Amino acid sequence: MNKTLTAATFAALISGQAHAGNVEVLHYWTSGGEAAALAILQKMMKDEGHSWTDFAVAGGGGETAMTVLKSRAISGNPPSASMIAGPEIAQWGDLGVLAKLDEVATSEGWDALLPKAVADIHKYQGSYVAAPVNVHRINWMWMNKSILDQVNGGQVPQSWDEFFAFMDKAKQAGFIAFAHGGQDWQDATVFEQVALGVGGDDWYRQAFVELDKQALSSDTMTQAFATFKKLKSYMDPGMPGRDWNLTTAMVIDGKAAVQIMGDWAKGEFAAAGKQPGKDYVCATVPGTQNAFNFNVDAFMMFAQKSKEAQAAQQDLSRLLVSKEFQEEFNLKKGSIPVRPDVSLARYDSCAKQSMSDFQASAKSGSLVPSFAHAMAMEPAVSGAVYDVVTNFFNDNDMTADAATSRLVSAIELAQ
Ligand code: GAL
């Protein structure tokens, strides 16, 4: 055997290349802002000497991505890592296919860094099996500032009456008043914020987290469905099937007055070089001022055979929760860091408001998990809710009362 180290091998050993491995990552971050954020992770992995196989599955909200992931796993060929969120992580844990991340979590001190409620979502039987990367706030309105100034004197609507008055004025002025993309996950996302605003966080938790039948079948639910349907008359004919980021672009370009969407939309404004307070205004959806509807994106790791693949996967997990990645990634993603010790000095006013509201909501108990974004229900139940909401939205003859009773029976059947 050649005992002398070749120069290349020696160099590789020094730079750690000897452990250089590959990660194949399944994700659905394909919009401008999402891709810019993900590029930071791809570069950091490359700088550590690993290679990155990108397995992007387009489709906002990740429904398609999760379907593809299941087919990959069933065929015994899962990627190294996949985007995931919420209770579904435990379902993957039940299958015994995930890699444990406790070595990284311990050496990086995740338990001391992450809020316990966040940490627990990403563990299975006490071991970390997923690395959380952010906190997205979903009960946001994104308003084009020049339209808001022109038609509403710059006044941010605080109630649903004020909101619909703003919609009327924007429509009369010739703008698309409400920008929406007619896809089931977007319908569910908007409905969820309207329901939170109409019913408040206690009722929201009873209805959509505890699946309490009284809350689900209440007049409040009917009022939420009615308020949601009222938005339809302020949308444009191009709404059906439109992707969320193309909808955000309508607000960015001054064609539409407002979009209700999670703050991944802020990543699109950032990618377009737009500033909050100058080009657009972020504000909480009416009635949700004191609540924080959230989801946490994470990457779960599938058990790997080779040492190199395991090393690459461990490095990926470490980077995802690292301070450096958290600061750079969330700046572009529109979310806030999942660890509270990251400086927000470089973040904008919307992110700073999000962080202070997140901490206040966690303290006051008005922090609610998003069912539209996989944080509150088993997938079968949230899928049933998606169907009821979208069918009601698309069926001009279906009454809000009918939607409420369909919701109750659909959830009962899905449990
Ligand atoms: C959410 C996800 C965000 C963003 C959004 C649009 O479910 O948490 O990171 O990707 O979908 O695709």
Side-chain angles (χ1 to χ4, degrees):
M1 185 182 86
N2 173 358
K3 288 223 187 315
T4 55
L5 283 177
T6 63
T9 311
F10 188 66
L13 276 174
I14 288 181
S15 65
Q17 295 267 333
H19 292 297
N22 171 268
V23 287
E24 182 190 15
V25 181
L26 185 152
H27 66 87
Y28 50 93
W29 286 339
T30 55
S31 79
E34 292 170 331
L38 186 65
I40 291 162
L41 181 62
Q42 292 161 334
K43 181 179 182 313
M44 288 174 92
M45 280 297 282
K46 193 160 167 279
D47 292 351
E48 300 239 348
H50 301 300
S51 58
W52 175 290
T53 303
D54 201 50
F55 189 64
V57 180
E63 269 179 294
T64 311
M66 292 301 105
T67 304
V68 171
L69 174 63
K70 288 182 184 104
S71 61
R72 285 279 305 260
I74 286 166
S75 61
N77 172 33
S80 317
S82 172
M83 265 182 80
I84 192 70
E88 204 170 343
I89 294 170
Q91 291 189 334
W92 283 101
D94 287 340
L95 299 178
V97 292
L98 300 183
K100 289 186 179 179
L101 307 177
D102 293 318
E103 202 180 312
V104 170
T106 306
S107 63
E108 298 290 307
W110 288 2
D111 273 344
L113 283 174
L114 301 171
K116 187 175 183 320
V118 170
D120 290 348
I121 296 170
H122 300 89
K123 291 180 178 177
Y124 181 72
Q125 292 179 350
S127 287
Y128 279 98
V129 291
V133 294
N134 61 8
V135 175
H136 269 304
R137 184 182 207 170
I138 310 179
N139 58 305
W140 282 117
M141 294 189 285
W142 308 97
M143 292 166 283
N144 178 283
K145 190 172 184 308
S146 66
I147 297 176
L148 181 68
D149 290 348
Q150 178 188 329
V151 309
N152 217 43
Q155 290 305 307
V156 172
Q158 299 298 321
S159 67
W160 285 105
D161 287 346
E162 289 178 10
F163 183 84
F164 287 112
F166 170 39
M167 292 294 90
D168 287 332
K169 285 182 264 184
K171 197 171 177 178
Q172 278 147 18
F175 297 106
I176 294 167
F178 191 87
H180 183 63
Q183 296 170 345
D184 62 357
W185 74 273
Q186 294 187 65
D187 298 343
T189 299
V190 174
F191 171 70
E192 180 179 81
Q193 313 324 312
V194 170
L196 179 60
V198 167
D201 60 273
D202 287 338
W203 171 82
Y204 174 101
R205 196 175 291 102
Q206 287 156 15
F208 298 117
V209 181
E210 293 154 23
L211 304 182
D212 171 78
K213 191 167 177 184
Q214 202 171 351
L216 287 169
S217 58
S218 62
D219 291 345
T220 306
M221 186 64 76
T222 301
Q223 192 195 341
F225 273 119
T227 307
F228 171 58
K229 182 73 94 50
K230 197 173 168 185
L231 292 170
K232 201 169 176 181
S233 62
Y234 298 103
M235 298 175 188
D236 66 297
M239 175 276 292
R242 180 166 49 215
D243 287 337
W244 70 272
N245 52 317
L246 302 182
T247 306
T248 309
M250 292 160 65
V251 180
I252 290 172
D253 298 339
K255 295 191 180 70
V258 63
Q259 178 186 25
I260 289 177
M261 188 47 72
D263 45 21
W264 45 88
K266 191 158 73 81
E268 302 305 298
F269 284 95
K274 303 299 182 186
Q275 302 297 324
K278 176 172 164 292
D279 306 302
Y280 67 97
V281 173
C282 61
T284 45
V285 168
T288 73
Q289 285 84 342
N290 300 316
F292 194 108
N293 184 335
F294 78 97
N295 76 311
V296 173
D297 288 317
F299 286 86
M300 65 182 167
M301 309 290 160
F302 287 87
Q304 299 295 307
K305 293 188 180 65
S306 78
K307 284 268 172 283
E308 290 75 14
Q310 289 166 4
Q313 203 175 53
Q314 297 292 314
D315 284 347
L316 177 64
S317 306
R318 174 175 48 79
L319 288 174
L320 285 167
V321 187
S322 70
K323 214 169 174 180
E324 187 204 354
F325 172 73
Q326 283 287 313
E327 180 171 348
E328 299 305 327
F329 167 78
N330 285 291
L331 260 174
K332 292 191 183 301
K333 188 70 176 64
S335 35
I336 54 176
V338 72
R339 51 188 287 178
D341 62 341
V342 174
S343 162
L344 296 190
R346 296 165 58 206
Y347 282 66
D348 62 33
S349 53
C350 302
K352 286 171 178 156
Q353 180 188 339
S354 195
M355 181 58 89
S356 57
D357 289 354
F358 178 67
Q359 288 162 349
S361 299
K363 271 202 196 85
S364 70
S366 63
L367 187 60
V368 290
S370 164
F371 78 76
H373 292 273
M375 298 303 288
M377 298 170 178
E378 299 297 323
V381 178
S382 59
V385 178
Y386 271 30
D387 292 345
V388 170
V389 169
T390 278
N391 290 332
F392 165 69
F393 179 68
N394 293 323
D395 179 348
N396 292 330
D397 300 330
M398 193 192 296
T399 65
D401 267 324
T404 299
S405 40
R406 284 192 185 198
L407 182 70
V408 174
S409 47
I411 288 177
E412 266 172 7
L413 277 173
Q415 281 179 302

